[in-house]
Amino acid sequence: MRIANDIPTMTSAADYASMYLLGKSYNALANKENNDSVNCATLVYKAYKNAGELGGTSLSLGNSSSPTVIPKDLVEDSRLVLAFSSQWGGNSHEWN
């Protein structure tokens, strides 16, 4: 996932993730508002939300009412561009 044509924000998000989220424990239901643990979607959420601290644009992505973020929240956010797709069918046991 990436923000379309916003290199400074993408760079800032990647820098934030490598400085503050690298090595965090995995939790499928990681809370999006603290950095105790991450999952794939909360890592993206936290990196972009905090990108403003490093010179990019701070973005709050996904479903704002949920305590966590799931991949579907990011895919459905119109500000993001899917840079790669694994052809996942949506069911935990089904790959296309």
Side-chain angles (χ1 to χ4, degrees):
M1 305 299 301
R2 64 180 174 83
I3 301 296
N5 302 319
D6 188 347
I7 300 300
T9 298
M10 290 188 299
T11 301
S12 295
D15 289 345
Y16 181 89
S18 68
M19 289 190 303
Y20 299 105
L21 302 175
L22 189 66
K24 295 293 180 181
S25 62
Y26 177 84
N27 179 346
L29 298 175
N31 187 299
K32 68 183 179 185
E33 298 305 329
N34 68 49
N35 287 344
D36 295 338
S37 60
V38 296
N39 62 38
C40 60
T42 58
L43 186 140
V44 172
Y45 171 87
K46 292 172 186 185
Y48 275 107
K49 180 178 180 195
N50 293 289
E53 294 178 17
L54 301 175
T57 301
S58 180
L59 295 171
S60 188
L61 306 170
N63 181 347
S64 63
S65 65
S66 174
T68 192
V69 180
I70 61 173
K72 181 182 176 199
D73 294 331
L74 300 178
V75 170
E76 292 176 348
D77 193 305
S78 62
R79 296 168 293 178
L80 294 175
V81 173
L82 186 60
F84 174 80
S85 174
S86 63
Q87 303 294 323
W88 183 46
N91 295 317
S92 61
H93 63 281
E94 178 183 311
W95 291 85
N96 294 329

